[in-house]
Amino acid sequence: MKDILTLGIESSCDETSVSVVKNGREVLSNIINSQIPIHEKFGGVVPEIASRNHVDVISTVTKKALEEAKIKINNIDVISVTYGPGLVGALLVGVSYAKALSYATGIPLVPVNHLEGHIAANYITFKELEPPFLCLVISGGHTHLIHIKGYTNFEIIGSTRDDAIGEAYDKVARVIGLEYPGGPKIDKLAKKGNTNINLPEPYVENFDFSFSGIKTAVININHKNPNINKADLCASFEKITTDALIKNTKIALKHINKNINTNSNKINKIALAGGVSANSYIRDKFVEFGKTENVKIYYPELKLCTDNAAMIASAGYYQYLSGNIAKLDLNAIPNLKL
Ligand code: KG4
Ligand code: ZN
């Protein structure tokens, strides 16, 4: 079969990224222009500034991605772009750029859901990974347990009822004086602390999560005890939230397998995805959990956990194979569902 080269374009939040991926799994280039230094001083992403920066750099990032892959635009078979969920102004930059590129070259355009991209990051890291499996998407905007039934066939089993786990990490970090994005800083500081601070267990029910209670509890404890050991607070926060993630994942896996009669068809693979899956404590605890439950745990290499276009190109490849081609009226959908 002829190789299929996909150009992926991602601009849903504060990373402008363009990538060339061969046959959905082999990354030929993955250029990521992060705006973190620009938004850091505001303590979070400022939507309009993000959009303007995407406009500034998207052409250069695309040129670099093609150059590094040593591919001319006319040799690309598919253009895939994130059209949601995300910040509308930021998404529109990538969507408009991809539409213009597709119109000018005649290359088919494929729409990609950002979450689907996060899931697909695992296909790049693990060439042998195939559906079905259970995926826990943990990012700045989402906490989803998803039954991956096929490459383009998903069933959401549970999700957060309020804050996403990444949001809780970033908020807690901000309150204790760590810079945006706080997740990686909590990860680092927690390694120096003990899990000795009593925190309320996050609410977990019917496969759903809630993290606003634990976020508020940590903020209150920190407020009442300004001299509290921050490393201990980070370690305790990390432990109690990871316990909740594992507890719910375990229940969801049982639930899916209950409806599968043949033993050999039961799901024994769990993939983590999204920015928070870069967390070293979460990774280690899931691997331990996998060993005790006899389940294989997957997570993408670090660079592919946070936003990047290689994951969008990979997901776009599978959408292309399933015949999902966008028309030129494709629009950004900020609250797009899977
Ligand atoms: O997937 P992502 O890049 O963007 C969204 O789609 O939301 O995720 C960003 C989130 C941020 O909340 C960031 O703090 C968190 O991922 N994050 C981490 C780590 N690295 C990134 N959280 C915990 N530990 C990390 N090592
Ligand atoms: Zn993301």
Side-chain angles (χ1 to χ4, degrees):
M1 209 172 92
K2 180 191 169 290
D3 286 334
I4 294 179
L5 293 172
T6 305
L7 184 81
I9 300 175
E10 157 64 35
S11 71
S12 66
C13 191
D14 58 345
E15 263 92 30
T16 321
S17 181
V18 180
S19 163
V20 178
V21 169
K22 191 160 120 183
N23 300 327
R25 302 251 177 178
E26 191 187 330
V27 179
L28 304 187
S29 66
N30 186 21
I31 309 296
I32 304 169
N33 183 79
S34 175
Q35 300 177 10
I36 287 176
I38 297 169
H39 298 284
E40 217 167 40
K41 55 180 167 296
F42 303 106
V45 179
V46 183
E48 187 181 328
I49 296 179
S51 313
R52 288 171 181 271
N53 275 281
H54 288 309
V55 171
D56 280 346
V57 303
I58 196 158
S59 300
T60 321
V61 171
T62 306
K63 198 164 165 258
K64 271 194 199 156
L66 289 166
E67 271 170 15
E68 198 177 295
K70 299 190 175 61
I71 300 288
K72 296 260 178 292
I73 184 71
N74 290 327
N75 294 325
I76 293 288
D77 300 289
V78 184
I79 297 169
S80 63
V81 65
T82 307
Y83 73 117
L87 302 169
V88 69
L91 287 164
L92 278 170
V93 178
V95 168
S96 306
Y97 190 81
K99 289 203 306 191
L101 208 54
S102 168
Y103 183 65
T105 57
I107 300 168
L109 177 65
V110 166
V112 171
N113 181 308
H114 184 77
L115 291 189
E116 206 183 315
H118 275 303
I119 299 161
N122 281 286
Y123 299 137
I124 298 172
T125 303
F126 300 98
K127 308 291 181 234
E128 77 289 358
L129 178 64
E130 286 177 6
F133 56 92
L134 176 64
C135 188
L136 175 67
V137 181
I138 38 179
S139 71
H142 295 87
T143 314
H144 274 22
L145 275 162
I146 307 170
H147 182 182
I148 316 295
K149 297 178 169 177
Y151 286 107
T152 56
N153 183 2
F154 314 100
E155 188 192 343
I156 297 176
I157 306 287
S159 56
T160 180
R161 293 192 181 171
D162 38 56
D163 295 352
I165 177 90
E167 230 174 306
Y169 264 86
D170 292 341
K171 191 67 201 283
V172 163
R174 189 168 162 176
V175 166
I176 63 174
L178 303 172
E179 273 172 358
Y180 176 85
K185 278 124 203 159
I186 290 190
D187 190 349
K188 208 167 153 199
L189 188 57
K191 288 193 201 309
K192 298 183 188 148
N194 296 309
T195 56
N196 54 2
I197 299 173
N198 244 335
L199 296 171
E201 265 183 46
Y203 172 87
V204 164
E205 199 179 283
N206 284 337
F207 320 116
D208 282 347
F209 300 96
S210 164
F211 292 109
S212 72
I214 177 73
K215 180 190 77 181
T216 311
V218 176
I219 293 169
N220 286 344
I221 288 177
N222 185 64
H223 184 69
K224 285 183 195 144
N225 312 281
N227 295 325
I228 197 163
N229 183 309
K230 308 289 185 227
D232 290 349
L233 196 55
C234 288
S236 306
F237 167 76
E238 218 173 51
K239 180 183 183 311
I240 202 99
T241 47
T242 305
D243 285 350
L245 292 175
I246 292 179
K247 181 176 166 191
N248 218 7
T249 305
K250 194 173 164 179
I251 302 171
L253 187 67
K254 260 205 184 122
H255 166 77
I256 295 172
N257 279 335
K258 198 176 70 204
N259 299 323
I260 302 175
N261 295 326
T262 344
N263 262 344
S264 58
N265 289 343
K266 290 205 190 282
I267 290 182
N268 58 1
K269 294 181 274 188
I270 295 174
L272 307 179
V276 183
S277 70
N279 184 278
S280 54
Y281 181 84
I282 296 177
R283 286 170 174 241
D284 290 350
K285 288 292 158 190
F286 264 89
V287 169
E288 271 176 32
F289 158 71
K291 281 187 187 139
T292 54
E293 297 285 320
N294 213 7
V295 173
K296 187 150 193 293
I297 304 294
Y298 299 83
Y299 43 74
E301 62 209 75
L302 279 179
K303 195 183 173 186
L304 298 177
C305 286
T306 41
D307 293 350
N308 67 89
M311 68 185 199
I312 303 304
S314 175
Y317 168 79
Y318 291 105
Q319 284 294 347
Y320 175 70
L321 294 187
S322 78
N324 186 6
I325 309 294
K327 298 210 182 77
L328 282 176
D329 62 356
L330 178 72
N331 208 339
I333 305 181
N335 57 354
L336 180 69
K337 302 280 177 279
L338 197 62

